[in-house]
Amino acid sequence: MTTIFDAPEDFATTALAGFYAIHARNARLVKGGVVRSTKVPRGKVAVVIGGGSGHYPAFAGYVGPGLADAAVAGDVFASPSTAAVARVCRHADQGGGVLLGFGNYAGDVLNFGLAAERLRGEGIDVRVLPVADDVASAPVETPDRRRGIAGDLVVFKIAGAAAEAGKSLDEVERLARLANERTVSFGVAFGGCTLPGAAGPLFTVPKGQMALGLGIHGEPGISEEKIATAGELAKLLTGKLLAERLAGTSKVAAVLNGLGSTKYEELFVLWTKVAKELAEAGLEVVDPECGEFVTSLDMQGCSLSLLWLDEELEALWRAPCDAPVLRKGMIIAAEPATEEIIEAEGRQSFSPASSASRDSGQCIARLIGRIADALKDAEEELGRIDAIAGDGDHGQGMRRGSAAAFDAANAAVAAGAGAASVLAAAGDAWADRAGGTSGAIWGLALRSWSNAFSDDERASDAAIIKGARLALDGVTRLGRARIGDKTLVDALVPFVETLEEQAASGKPLSEAWNLAAKAAKEAADATSSLTPKLGRARPLAERSIGHPDAGAISLALTARVAAEFLKEADA
Amino acid sequence: MTTIFDAPEDFATTALAGFYAIHARNARLVKGGVVRSTKVPRGKVAVVIGGGSGHYPAFAGYVGPGLADAAVAGDVFASPSTAAVARVCRHADQGGGVLLGFGNYAGDVLNFGLAAERLRGEGIDVRVLPVADDVASAPVETPDRRRGIAGDLVVFKIAGAAAEAGKSLDEVERLARLANERTVSFGVAFGGCTLPGAAGPLFTVPKGQMALGLGIHGEPGISEEKIATAGELAKLLTGKLLAERLAGTSKVAAVLNGLGSTKYEELFVLWTKVAKELAEAGLEVVDPECGEFVTSLDMQGCSLSLLWLDEELEALWRAPCDAPVLRKGMIIAAEPATEEIIEAEGRQSFSPASSASRDSGQCIARLIGRIADALKDAEEELGRIDAIAGDGDHGQGMRRGSAAAFDAANAAVAAGAGAASVLAAAGDAWADRAGGTSGAIWGLALRSWSNAFSDDERASDAAIIKGARLALDGVTRLGRARIGDKTLVDALVPFVETLEEQAASGKPLSEAWNLAAKAAKEAADATSSLTPKLGRARPLAERSIGHPDAGAISLALTARVAAEFLKEADA
């Protein structure tokens, strides 16, 4: 919801003042709007646009060279008054006439139309252009009943580029009308927006549903459907627009617009699917844009706009512009790089190994396979424990990491690697595939452990015990966690210490390991009574008291699996 | 919540692929990240940044000339692996060494640190820079325990500008560390974010509360307070940061960052108050930025970052750059305009009027005063009716418009205006101050009506009746509504027709008007049974059946008030 304001009724004018304070390089504040802050040649056609507030970057964010000369801003979701439109136009007029662009809504049609009449009476040539791109709002037979949504960006960009190129008002009007006739949009909403000061949203969409054919003033859409996957959504959006494809077109400009709370990365995900659909329809996409261009406060949803290009429109769409909403063209002269990107990986071949060390390597690979099986079984449980105080992905990370480590260990074995190389390769793969902190910790632990081995000799009991200490050192040196921080270190320290003590007291490795694994399990369970380390947010910390740490639990589990493996190897 | 995805576990990689498809001019895709797509001089220091996904434009959006050379992207909110960091660095290295920038989180410190060690082993000089700007995460005495939030933009911009200027790795590192030491941030959260595929948000903030000291991975903050006004919030944010003001500084760079669902216009509103606080503290703000730079999926909230500038840092902060997150410098050569902006209003002086016409003008002003009183009383009721199918601002608009019309009419009377000018001035003021569609309609109606009058003669009964027809013509010509559309036209048409009929049948004006007002009231009530005109969204249309149209009701009310006025004038 809209949360930041002082007096709700001052929201729009204060927002405009703040815009000006930030974007003074682009725009100057006048009563009811903004005008370009840079010199404009005498006689240039002025492109003046506008509408209600609540749609930023529409409309003030469109002001700048190559786009709009001025923008008029009404109250939130309300048309600016006739007087405000006329006033802003008087500031913007350079003697070349004015093209007035706005969305096709009753209030805007009225106010911009009346302002145009007034200005004509004052001797300023003004043409009006109501943008009407939303295919959901009226059938194709009555295009002038269609609303304007994110097609605004497309149509205003064409008009702005034509005016910047010094074309006459007749020409600018012709090109803008052509762009308007050839621009189609369709959108969906996942949730409504809340006006400043309002207690609730203007509309709601039932959980799990999406509303088709949204408007940008809280109009919720014309029908509802179950929320689609990105792939299905791309088919829906492109399908509605391709149904109106202009015969003979092979190129389109495309704008994937977020309404406010649907974020960039979601739009990027969707764009990969939209691009696929357009390519399959035989269309070449020219300079696609993906982001927030016409929003509706904090509304959730998105829309796709397409402009069926011809040569003339393509050149205007590609032309440079420099406004907060869109910047095209180069600031710092930069040539495209031409060399191919070749994936530069670290070493993949292994140094020659002795037969004894290769045997140990095989043994290590088998053990990692056993660990991977156990972690796969434990994935859900580890995720559940992690979700109490974290984001619940620990089980998934451990499963992915150990499986990748097993594959890498097998590949190393197959390539004839010795004990040190097999374990190092497993560690690197674990870290690379598991990701996150625990992936790095496990990768580091295995790689550090491998430093106790060599590719010339068999992995001796002494080397294994020394490796455990190296792993602990590596983890505490780079991981920064201390005992008591409620991390895997809480289980790793007693494990390593017990292993060393029991081995020093003469116990065989499998027995010493078994006792160490038990110590790790006890310590992991005891993390229930600990609070997480500093830096964690307080409420999460409180939630996690009484629950063991997922990292410590998974370490203890792994130690137990290894203990069983060693016992079998003894037998 | 995060809504658009196919498989949640592919979200981050698919988003990166989509980013590349849109921003190929800036970046090329490599495994685990992106690198600059433009030629980079041999020997230039490579600035490589990264972290988890879910923070766009951080980090891929930072890649471009004058900012970062490459970005590494982990899974959502998870550190990229050591191998991924190392791999992306190998692509970015131009022989000048690498500055590795990332937020100060355990997983990132570990993976970027390990990658740096690996790369040094391969002969690449790498320096690590964990950004630690969040003052809420640790006390000033332990700056290296602080988290990195939106200070990323500030620190990476300085590093990128230094590298672009051809400085050595030692120098780039020194400047980046200096920027990091001098950058402080503080933020608040109004609501949590939802991971792709998750059923609910990572945390919630109780309604009406805000959490102080947010993190950008779902960490909800260190304490909670009642949501502040924009002015109070600005004091809170600047207060926390000014407490750590570096002695002797008089200039700051500032970044007001939105977390995802807190929108631009809210940030602009807040910025006006932040700017005031900083000015009062005697600080000059250099090139402030206000927008989304480091987000946390769809989280609601914002943060303020300040960099205490010295001369060296100021030059780097101001330097041009060209990345999706930030573009500084000119694309189209444009000189600042220098002429003063003088508010150009329409005519304010009135042509000379006859005494008889001035009398009529006074009478009109008094009538408008009566109407303004009645509409003020009816504001709440009209708002209530409008809220059923609209945004509930009709009462407010009518109150504002009529009050402004009364003031303008009085001013015109005082300036000696005649009947035509008084009514025209009232209409213009009504439209300008009420805004929206109904403001324009009323302004248009009054102005059209005034065309039946002159400034030479008294407003005769015949002129008044002719004016009513002109008002109706004006409204239907430009307002496009037809009878039956459930608008004010439904009441205006029977009003005008009854007025004309009754006057034609010889009734005196006050009686004819009274009957016309009754017809208007009946028609307004009858709009309950109508569905709103096409173009409205279906669910709203359904809601409004059974309810009268607010515009028709307010017209009928006004007609009745005027009827009473005329009756009194007769008496």
Side-chain angles (χ1 to χ4, degrees):
Chain A
M1 65 184 290
T2 303
T3 309
I4 303 176
F5 50 84
D6 279 340
E9 66 180 36
D10 296 336
F11 184 81
T13 46
T14 312
L16 194 68
F19 163 81
Y20 164 68
I22 295 291
H23 293 287
R25 195 182 66 82
N26 284 87
R28 300 199 285 180
L29 201 58
V30 297
K31 208 174 148 193
V34 289
V35 296
R36 255 168 82 163
S37 61
T38 46
K39 278 191 183 166
V40 180
R42 261 320 280 175
K44 176 188 166 298
V45 171
V47 175
V48 179
I49 62 168
S53 294
H55 304 300
Y56 190 87
F59 295 94
Y62 285 57
V63 174
L67 239 162
D69 293 275
V72 199
D75 249 339
V76 177
F77 294 174
S79 169
S81 70
T82 303
V85 176
R87 194 187 304 120
V88 172
C89 285
R90 286 184 203 109
H91 284 300
D93 177 45
Q94 298 291 334
V98 175
L99 182 89
L100 256 183
F102 49 92
N104 190 29
Y105 296 91
D108 293 314
V109 168
L110 193 59
N111 281 303
F112 285 82
L114 286 169
E117 286 194 359
R118 262 196 223 176
L119 293 165
R120 281 184 209 119
E122 297 170 17
I124 302 177
D125 195 353
V126 182
R127 314 289 168 86
V128 294
L129 180 77
V131 176
D133 56 313
D134 179 12
V135 304
S137 55
V140 65
E141 294 75 25
T142 53
D144 62 343
R145 303 205 69 149
R146 287 185 166 174
R147 302 180 292 209
I149 53 173
D152 282 351
L153 176 72
V154 179
V155 176
F156 298 159
K157 171 70 178 75
I158 299 296
E164 193 72 31
K167 293 187 189 290
S168 69
L169 183 58
D170 283 346
E171 266 299 278
V172 173
E173 185 189 9
R174 179 184 69 79
L175 288 159
R177 285 195 188 283
L178 185 65
N180 191 31
E181 282 160 21
R182 286 168 163 249
T183 300
V184 284
S185 301
F186 189 81
V188 295
F190 309 121
C193 53
T194 307
L195 293 167
L202 280 174
F203 69 95
T204 55
V205 181
K207 209 173 153 68
Q209 297 283 106
M210 60 182 185
L212 272 57
L214 62 93
I216 55 170
H217 307 93
E219 309 94 321
I222 50 173
S223 66
E224 279 170 7
E225 280 186 12
K226 192 169 159 291
I227 283 183
T229 63
E232 291 160 358
L233 184 53
K235 275 187 207 295
L236 171 74
L237 297 177
T238 53
K240 295 274 182 192
L241 302 185
L242 289 171
E244 296 195 14
R245 180 174 179 173
L246 209 67
T249 47
S250 60
K251 288 185 173 188
V252 278
V255 175
L256 189 57
N257 178 60
L259 269 297
S261 296
T262 292
K263 301 313 300 173
Y264 313 98
E265 281 152 306
E266 293 176 87
L267 297 173
F268 289 143
V269 166
L270 182 56
W271 176 256
T272 63
K273 316 293 174 184
V274 168
K276 192 170 149 275
E277 296 296 326
L278 295 176
E280 280 174 11
L283 285 165
E284 182 190 332
V285 183
V286 177
D287 281 7
E289 296 292 340
C290 189
E292 296 177 4
F293 305 104
V294 180
T295 62
S296 181
L297 293 173
D298 61 329
M299 182 167 162
Q300 277 181 55
C302 63
S303 65
L304 176 67
S305 301
L306 298 179
L307 164 60
W308 314 114
L309 290 172
D310 61 13
E311 223 169 281
E312 200 174 30
L313 292 172
E314 181 181 342
L316 295 168
W317 175 245
R318 286 185 189 272
C321 64
D322 184 359
V325 70
L326 191 69
R327 303 185 78 182
K328 287 187 162 201
M330 269 191 291
I331 297 167
I332 297 174
E335 264 183 88
T338 47
E339 72 279 15
E340 284 278 300
I341 287 213
I342 294 139
E343 280 300 333
E345 295 294 341
R347 80 193 147 92
Q348 289 293 350
S349 64
F350 300 98
S351 40
S354 72
S355 156
S357 187
R358 290 212 303 272
D359 285 350
S360 291
Q362 280 178 21
C363 200
I364 289 168
R366 279 204 307 278
L367 169 56
I368 292 174
R370 201 74 79 78
I371 290 170
D373 286 345
L375 288 172
K376 195 177 167 189
D377 293 343
E379 176 176 355
E380 207 173 315
E381 172 66 4
L382 291 172
R384 195 192 57 74
I385 297 170
D386 183 43
I388 293 163
D391 52 7
D393 64 355
H394 183 71
Q396 190 187 73
M398 293 297 287
R399 191 250 305 152
R400 275 195 206 169
S402 57
F406 183 48
D407 289 347
N410 280 336
V413 165
S421 294
V422 169
L423 190 55
D428 290 355
W430 190 315
D432 200 11
R433 189 73 189 105
T437 312
S438 69
I441 292 277
W442 274 86
L444 175 62
L446 299 194
R447 188 168 250 287
S448 302
W449 202 310
S450 78
N451 290 335
F453 299 159
S454 80
D455 289 338
D456 300 323
E457 289 169 41
R458 144 174 189 280
S460 65
D461 290 3
I464 291 171
I465 291 161
K466 189 183 161 208
R469 170 57 63 180
L470 293 181
L472 176 58
D473 287 351
V475 166
T476 48
R477 180 175 57 90
L478 275 158
R480 286 208 211 162
R482 302 280 167 272
I483 199 155
D485 282 350
K486 197 160 184 161
T487 71
L488 140 160
V489 168
D490 291 341
L492 185 57
V493 169
F495 173 81
V496 174
E497 287 176 353
T498 308
L499 183 66
E500 286 174 339
E501 282 162 22
Q502 296 297 331
S505 77
K507 292 251 169 55
L509 177 68
S510 66
E511 211 171 307
W513 189 290
N514 191 39
L515 292 167
K518 283 188 173 139
K521 179 69 169 71
E522 271 172 38
D525 290 341
T527 59
S528 307
S529 62
L530 301 172
T531 47
K533 63 180 168 179
L534 225 153
R536 278 288 208 182
R538 198 173 46 85
L540 282 187
E542 280 166 4
R543 271 169 61 202
S544 92
I545 297 172
H547 295 279
D549 176 67
I553 291 287
S554 61
L555 180 97
L557 169 68
T558 306
R560 182 171 60 73
V561 172
E564 284 160 12
F565 182 85
L566 289 173
K567 201 169 159 196
E568 285 169 32
D570 271 4
Chain B
M1 64 184 291
T2 302
T3 310
I4 303 176
F5 51 83
D6 279 339
E9 65 180 35
D10 296 336
F11 184 80
T13 46
T14 313
L16 195 68
F19 164 81
Y20 164 68
I22 296 291
H23 292 288
R25 196 183 65 82
N26 284 87
R28 299 200 285 180
L29 202 58
V30 297
K31 209 175 148 193
V34 289
V35 296
R36 253 168 83 164
S37 61
T38 45
K39 279 191 183 165
V40 180
R42 261 323 279 177
K44 176 188 166 297
V45 170
V47 175
V48 179
I49 62 169
S53 293
H55 304 300
Y56 191 86
F59 295 94
Y62 285 57
V63 173
L67 240 162
D69 293 275
V72 201
D75 249 338
V76 177
F77 295 174
S79 169
S81 70
T82 303
V85 176
R87 194 187 305 120
V88 172
C89 285
R90 286 184 203 109
H91 283 300
D93 177 44
Q94 298 291 335
V98 175
L99 182 90
L100 255 184
F102 50 92
N104 191 29
Y105 296 91
D108 292 314
V109 169
L110 193 59
N111 281 302
F112 285 82
L114 285 170
E117 286 193 1
R118 265 197 220 175
L119 294 165
R120 282 185 209 117
E122 297 169 18
I124 302 176
D125 196 354
V126 182
R127 314 289 168 88
V128 294
L129 179 77
V131 176
D133 55 312
D134 179 13
V135 305
S137 54
V140 66
E141 294 76 24
T142 53
D144 62 343
R145 302 205 70 149
R146 287 185 165 174
R147 301 179 293 209
I149 54 173
D152 283 350
L153 176 72
V154 178
V155 177
F156 299 158
K157 170 70 178 76
I158 299 296
E164 193 72 31
K167 293 186 190 290
S168 69
L169 183 57
D170 283 346
E171 267 297 279
V172 173
E173 185 188 9
R174 179 184 69 79
L175 288 160
R177 284 194 188 285
L178 185 66
N180 191 31
E181 282 160 20
R182 287 167 163 252
T183 300
V184 285
S185 300
F186 188 80
V188 296
F190 309 121
C193 54
T194 307
L195 293 167
L202 281 175
F203 69 95
T204 54
V205 182
K207 210 174 153 68
Q209 297 283 105
M210 61 183 185
L212 272 57
L214 62 93
I216 55 171
H217 307 94
E219 309 94 323
I222 49 174
S223 66
E224 279 170 7
E225 281 186 13
K226 193 167 159 289
I227 283 183
T229 63
E232 291 160 359
L233 184 55
K235 274 187 207 296
L236 172 73
L237 297 176
T238 53
K240 295 273 183 194
L241 302 185
L242 289 171
E244 297 195 14
R245 180 175 179 174
L246 210 67
T249 47
S250 60
K251 288 185 173 188
V252 278
V255 175
L256 189 56
N257 178 59
L259 269 296
S261 295
T262 292
K263 300 313 301 173
Y264 312 99
E265 281 153 304
E266 293 177 86
L267 296 173
F268 289 142
V269 166
L270 182 55
W271 176 255
T272 63
K273 316 293 174 184
V274 168
K276 192 170 149 277
E277 296 296 326
L278 295 176
E280 280 174 10
L283 285 165
E284 183 190 333
V285 183
V286 177
D287 281 8
E289 297 292 339
C290 188
E292 296 177 5
F293 305 103
V294 180
T295 62
S296 182
L297 293 173
D298 61 329
M299 181 165 162
Q300 277 182 55
C302 63
S303 66
L304 177 67
S305 301
L306 297 179
L307 164 61
W308 314 114
L309 290 171
D310 61 13
E311 224 169 279
E312 199 173 33
L313 292 172
E314 181 181 342
L316 295 168
W317 175 246
R318 285 185 188 272
C321 64
D322 185 358
V325 70
L326 191 68
R327 304 186 77 181
K328 286 185 161 203
M330 270 190 290
I331 297 167
I332 298 174
E335 263 182 273
T338 47
E339 71 279 14
E340 285 276 303
I341 287 214
I342 295 141
E343 281 300 333
E345 295 293 342
R347 82 192 145 91
Q348 289 293 351
S349 65
F350 301 98
S351 40
S354 73
S355 156
S357 187
R358 289 212 303 273
D359 286 349
S360 291
Q362 282 178 18
C363 198
I364 289 168
R366 279 204 309 278
L367 169 57
I368 292 173
R370 201 73 80 78
I371 289 170
D373 286 344
L375 287 172
K376 195 177 167 191
D377 292 342
E379 177 176 355
E380 206 173 314
E381 172 65 5
L382 291 172
R384 195 191 56 75
I385 297 170
D386 183 42
I388 293 162
D391 53 8
D393 64 355
H394 183 71
Q396 190 187 74
M398 293 297 286
R399 191 251 305 153
R400 275 195 207 170
S402 57
F406 182 48
D407 289 347
N410 280 338
V413 164
S421 294
V422 168
L423 190 54
D428 290 354
W430 190 314
D432 200 10
R433 190 73 190 105
T437 313
S438 68
I441 293 275
W442 274 87
L444 175 61
L446 299 193
R447 188 168 250 287
S448 302
W449 204 309
S450 77
N451 290 334
F453 300 160
S454 80
D455 290 338
D456 301 322
E457 290 170 38
R458 145 178 187 278
S460 66
D461 290 1
I464 291 170
I465 291 162
K466 189 182 161 206
R469 170 58 64 179
L470 293 180
L472 175 59
D473 287 351
V475 166
T476 49
R477 180 175 56 89
L478 276 158
R480 285 208 212 161
R482 302 280 168 272
I483 200 156
D485 283 349
K486 197 159 184 161
T487 72
L488 140 160
V489 168
D490 291 341
L492 185 57
V493 169
F495 172 82
V496 174
E497 286 176 354
T498 308
L499 184 65
E500 286 174 340
E501 281 161 22
Q502 296 297 331
S505 76
K507 292 253 168 54
L509 178 67
S510 65
E511 211 171 306
W513 189 291
N514 191 38
L515 292 167
K518 283 188 174 138
K521 179 69 170 72
E522 272 171 39
D525 290 341
T527 59
S528 306
S529 64
L530 299 172
T531 48
K533 63 180 166 180
L534 225 152
R536 276 287 208 186
R538 201 172 45 86
L540 282 187
E542 281 164 3
R543 271 168 61 200
S544 93
I545 297 172
H547 296 278
D549 176 67
I553 290 286
S554 61
L555 180 97
L557 168 67
T558 306
R560 183 172 57 75
V561 172
E564 284 160 14
F565 182 85
L566 290 172
K567 203 170 160 195
E568 285 168 34
D570 270 4

